[in-house]
């Protein structure tokens, strides 16, 4: 009979997924490679990793000895590996997985895949879009009859989060309930394990340091002799974990620098992700947690950058500023940090400093679009269109049109430099690209006079004089509220290129009727009359 591991690998294979697990982290130069991930079409799914190969085999052994389990709660489903292996080991149990649906871009795909395999394998599994601890009570009451016998916790890996997950789940634990907490050593969750050990509902806790992540099991009552013996086999008593951590400069709250380098790749961002994902923290609590966390990583620009970005996510702009300033002091080439500093100054209406830092971001990363876009908007807000010239010469047409459209929505009275843009285009390829972009814009905004004039100028520049005339004249007739003397002047110039002085003269007279005293039009009209006579 095939093991549940083999059965599950085959199940994922039916859906076109390869299972990547149990690899040597040292050989692969990645501390996370021992854990389970899915690969499809050569690409790793971005849903986080599940329990490892050795942990999967341990669960098979453990749950085969716990046949009395009826209700299972899984906190953190990702792509379903832990959920499904648990359900396979406990075919008579109801397994409900809670997932906040925030880890990775393919988390919804993971949920659908879990349910599909569960149906094929005839497993009693459900996956609920829910957050722990906020939704634990409603999930357990609605789907598990108000009581759980086995809880697998593999959610957000931070000590305060594990404490919250456990504290809520224990309220619904049966007298013989068993907890499996993943990633304890790998994410340094010793503070939370210490909290669990002190719970009045818990009989004993064992860290299984012979398994990949150093998970912990917690028993609400004394385990059977068989389970106790099994657990003992996966705990290596030759290593005193608290002493080992202390010897490496750490404690239960933080691993210290030496040990920290051996943990999960994203451990250094764990408390930042906790702050980002937790809704009920006050601004002061957020800043206190991040400030204390960043002290452990004073020379790591990534940690300071992510802390600042987290605060911006919570609209704490001014509080984020010191973190980005720290980043550029550590790494002067970090363009995204300059960009965020500029955005903070925009919010605080300090346009002078905003321009300074947008320009720094652009200097460091010239082809990166966001600071160029926002810098252009800032110039537009000031009416500094003369400053656009360098930007117009180098930016892609679709991006220029995006900026112009945004400015027109925000500042309807703005007179945008459409003509400067077309005159700045030198290559035929870029001119054709501009024409295509303008045509798409006009299809969506047919009364955008500036865009229509720009399209006519672009056709004129490429030598399509007849097309240019059609666009200029249709603009005047189809947008009656837009007098367009400049458009009529351009049409007159085009007619002259076709040696049609009569039509040119007609356009110029219409132009002067709209704007008497238009010097260029008067001079050109005089030339037309001289030519005709």
């Amino acid at each position: 009979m095939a093991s549940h591991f083999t059965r599950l690998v085959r199940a994922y294979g039916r859906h076109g997924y390869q299972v990547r697990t149990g690899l040597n982290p040292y050989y692969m130069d990645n501390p996370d490679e021992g854990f389970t991930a899915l690969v499809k079409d050569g690409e790793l799914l971005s849903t986080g990793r599940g329990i490892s190969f050795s942990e999967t085999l341990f669960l098979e052994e453990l749950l085969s000895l716990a046949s009395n389990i009826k209700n299972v709660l899984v906190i953190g489903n990702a792509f379903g590996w832990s959920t499904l292996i648990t359900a396979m080991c406990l075919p008579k149990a109801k397994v409900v997985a809670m997932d906040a649906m925030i880890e990775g871009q393919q988390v919804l795909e993971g949920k659908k895949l879990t349910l599909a395999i569960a149906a094929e394998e005839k497993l009693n599994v459900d996956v609920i879009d829910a957050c722990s601890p906020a939704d634990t009570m409603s999930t357990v009451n609605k789907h598990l009859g108000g009581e759980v016998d086995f809880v697998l916790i593999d959610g957000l890996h931070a000590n305060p989060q594990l404490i919250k997950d456990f504290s809520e789940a224990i309220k619904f634990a049966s007298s013989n309930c068993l907890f499996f907490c993943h990633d304890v050593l790998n994410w340094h969750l010793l503070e939370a394990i210490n909290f669990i050990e002190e719970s009045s509902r818990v009989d004993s806790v064992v860290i299984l340091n012979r398994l990949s992540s150093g998970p912990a099991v917690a028993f609400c009552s004394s385990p059977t002799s068989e389970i106790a013996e099994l657990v003992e086999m996966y705990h290596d008593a030759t290593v005193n974990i608290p002493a080992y951590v202390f010897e490496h400069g750490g404690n239960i709250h933080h691993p210290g620098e030496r040990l920290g380098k051996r943990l999960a790749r994203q451990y250094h961002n764990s408390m930042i992700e906790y702050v980002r994902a937790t809704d009920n923290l006050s601004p002061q609590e957020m800043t206190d947690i991040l400030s204390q966390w960043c002290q452990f990583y004073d020379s790591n620009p990534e940690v300071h950058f992510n802390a600042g970005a987290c605060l911006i996510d919570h609209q704490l702009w001014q509080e984020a500023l010191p973190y980005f300033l720290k980043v550029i002091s550590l790494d002067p080439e970090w363009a995204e940090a300059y960009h965020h500093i500029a955005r903070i100054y925009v919010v605080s209406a300090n346009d002078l400093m905003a321009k300074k830092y947008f320009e720094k971001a652009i200097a460091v990363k010239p082809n990166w679009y966001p600071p160029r876009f926002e810098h252009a908007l800032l110039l537009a807000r000031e009416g500094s269109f003369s400053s656009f010239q360098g930007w117009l010469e180098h930016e892609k047409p679709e991006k220029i049109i995006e900026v112009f459209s945004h400015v027109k929505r925000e500042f309807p009275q703005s007179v945008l430099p459409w003509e400067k843009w077309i005159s700045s285009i030198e290559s035929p390829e870029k001119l054709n690209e501009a024409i295509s972009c303008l045509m798409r814009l006009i299809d969506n905004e047919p009364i955008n006079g500036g865009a229509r004039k720009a399209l006519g100028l672009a056709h004129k520049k490429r030598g399509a004089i007849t097309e240019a005339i059609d666009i200029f004249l249709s603009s005047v007739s189809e947008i009656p509220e837009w007098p367009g003397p400049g458009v009529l002047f351009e049409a007159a110039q085009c007619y002259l290129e076709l040696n049609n002085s009569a039509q040119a003269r007609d356009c110029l007279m219409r132009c002067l009727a709209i704007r008497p005293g238009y010097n260029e039009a008067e001079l050109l009209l005089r030339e037309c009359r001289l030519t005709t006579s």
Side-chain angles (χ1 to χ4, degrees):
M1 179 180 175
S3 71
H4 296 309
F5 172 81
T6 303
R7 178 183 169 193
L8 191 51
V9 170
R10 288 173 178 165
Y12 281 109
R14 289 196 301 269
H15 291 265
Y17 295 90
Q18 293 175 291
V19 175
R20 181 182 179 121
T21 189
L23 300 179
N24 185 324
Y26 189 79
Y27 183 83
M28 299 299 294
D29 193 27
N30 179 353
D32 298 332
E33 280 290 11
F35 302 101
T36 305
L38 293 188
V39 176
K40 189 169 189 179
D41 300 326
E43 291 192 11
L44 216 62
L45 257 66
S46 61
T47 55
R49 292 179 181 255
I51 62 173
S52 70
F53 174 63
S54 62
E55 291 164 341
T56 301
L57 299 185
F58 167 77
L59 273 187
E60 287 197 41
E61 284 193 84
L62 174 67
L63 298 179
S64 70
L65 301 174
S67 57
N68 60 328
I69 292 175
K70 296 179 181 178
N71 294 320
V72 176
L73 178 66
V74 178
I75 298 174
N77 180 68
F79 56 87
W81 181 264
S82 303
T83 302
L84 292 168
I85 201 70
T86 300
M88 286 179 173
C89 295
L90 298 169
K92 295 181 180 179
K94 173 66 182 293
V95 179
V96 174
M98 297 171 60
D99 201 289
M101 308 298 286
I102 60 173
E103 186 175 12
Q105 299 174 349
Q106 294 151 313
V107 65
L108 182 58
E109 183 180 344
K111 175 183 176 179
K112 292 177 180 177
L113 183 60
T114 304
L115 294 173
I117 291 175
E120 293 165 1
E121 297 290 332
K122 296 180 172 53
L123 303 173
N124 192 357
V125 168
D126 204 353
V127 181
I128 310 299
D129 298 358
C131 295
S132 171
D135 302 318
T136 301
M137 176 188 291
S138 59
T139 300
V140 174
N141 285 337
K142 182 176 180 180
H143 300 278
L144 293 169
E147 187 174 77
V148 292
D149 307 306
F150 179 58
V151 181
L152 191 155
I153 303 179
D154 193 13
L156 196 153
H157 296 320
N159 278 295
Q161 184 63 43
L162 178 52
I163 289 171
K164 290 178 179 179
D165 291 339
F166 171 81
S167 297
E168 189 65 17
I170 193 68
K171 297 175 183 177
F172 308 97
S174 65
S175 59
N176 295 317
C177 187
L178 168 62
F179 284 78
F180 180 88
C181 303
H182 192 230
D183 279 317
V184 169
L185 295 184
N186 199 40
W187 285 80
H188 201 75
L189 301 176
L190 296 178
E191 180 184 344
I193 295 305
N194 188 62
F195 175 88
I196 292 171
E197 282 184 305
E198 294 176 355
S199 168
S200 60
R201 289 289 316 277
V202 172
D203 177 78
S204 59
V205 176
V206 181
I207 294 177
L208 310 174
N209 54 340
R210 282 182 172 152
L211 294 177
S212 306
S213 75
V217 287
F219 299 95
C220 288
S221 61
S222 296
T224 65
S225 58
E226 288 180 303
I227 289 178
E229 183 179 0
L230 172 69
V231 168
E232 185 181 351
M233 291 300 104
Y234 286 90
H235 171 73
D236 193 327
T238 67
V239 178
N240 183 319
I241 294 171
Y244 183 80
V245 172
F246 180 76
E247 288 166 7
H248 286 74
N251 53 47
I252 64 169
H253 308 291
H254 195 271
E257 185 176 357
R258 288 171 62 196
L259 195 55
K261 293 177 180 178
R262 306 176 193 174
L263 302 184
R265 270 192 170 176
Q266 289 302 312
Y267 171 75
H268 58 284
N269 287 320
S270 58
M271 287 303 295
I272 298 170
E273 291 306 312
Y274 169 73
V275 171
R276 179 177 276 117
T278 305
D279 294 329
N280 58 356
L281 294 175
S282 70
Q284 188 62 54
E285 286 173 321
M286 291 182 203
T287 53
D288 287 348
I289 291 170
L290 294 175
S291 175
Q292 184 178 10
W293 188 252
C294 286
Q295 288 176 21
F296 293 120
Y297 299 96
D298 190 57
S299 60
N300 187 326
E302 180 194 347
V303 172
H304 291 275
F305 180 87
N306 289 335
C310 175
L311 289 170
I312 283 182
D313 287 347
H314 288 282
Q315 303 298 306
L316 298 174
W317 295 87
Q318 293 305 315
E319 291 83 350
L321 181 58
Y323 294 94
F324 295 119
L325 292 172
K326 178 71 172 181
V327 172
I328 60 174
S329 73
L330 294 168
D331 183 356
E333 298 298 305
W334 199 304
E336 292 82 356
Y338 290 114
H339 179 220
H340 278 310
I341 294 170
R343 294 174 67 216
I344 290 167
Y345 281 123
V346 168
V347 170
S348 59
N350 190 336
D351 289 358
L352 185 64
M353 291 297 286
K355 281 191 289 185
K356 172 184 173 181
Y357 282 97
F358 278 135
E359 288 162 7
K360 284 181 178 288
I362 293 166
V364 171
K365 207 170 182 178
N367 296 321
W368 186 40
Y369 176 57
R372 300 182 72 89
F373 174 80
E374 293 174 46
H375 184 241
L377 291 182
L378 186 60
L379 296 174
R381 189 170 74 185
E382 294 181 342
S384 304
F385 292 119
S386 60
S387 304
F388 267 39
Q389 196 61 38
W391 179 73
L392 291 172
E393 290 172 0
H394 296 101
E395 195 57 86
K396 292 181 179 180
E398 63 180 299
K399 300 301 183 184
I400 291 172
I401 287 175
E402 184 179 349
V403 170
F404 284 4
S405 299
H406 185 94
V407 171
K408 199 66 179 176
R409 287 194 299 272
E410 296 295 318
F411 313 103
Q413 303 308 313
S414 297
V415 180
L416 292 163
W418 293 102
E419 294 175 51
K420 281 188 178 181
W421 170 39
I422 299 300
S423 67
S424 72
I425 299 175
E426 296 181 356
S427 75
E429 294 80 9
K430 199 168 186 179
L431 188 63
N432 288 333
E433 187 182 349
I435 288 170
S436 298
C437 292
L438 285 164
M439 290 174 68
R440 287 196 296 271
L441 174 63
I442 292 165
D443 283 343
N444 293 322
E445 301 177 23
I447 62 170
N448 190 326
R452 293 179 73 144
K453 183 178 179 181
L455 180 60
L457 290 170
H459 280 301
K460 179 183 174 184
K461 188 166 186 172
R462 74 181 182 94
I465 304 302
T466 303
E467 288 93 329
I469 291 171
D470 289 343
I471 291 164
F472 290 140
L473 295 183
S474 65
S475 300
V476 175
S477 62
E478 293 173 18
I479 315 176
E481 68 275 16
W482 182 54
V487 175
L488 289 165
F489 179 77
E490 293 293 344
Q493 288 186 311
C494 289
Y495 275 123
L496 287 176
E497 288 195 36
L498 297 177
N499 296 315
N500 190 334
S501 299
Q503 291 288 0
R505 188 170 60 250
D506 179 65
C507 287
L508 289 168
M509 292 175 68
R510 290 169 64 190
C511 172
L512 288 166
I514 296 169
R515 189 193 295 175
Y518 190 163
N519 289 336
E520 291 87 346
E522 289 177 343
L523 289 171
L524 196 60
L525 180 59
R526 200 172 298 133
E527 285 183 30
C528 287
R529 285 170 174 164
L530 288 171
T531 302
T532 304
S533 62

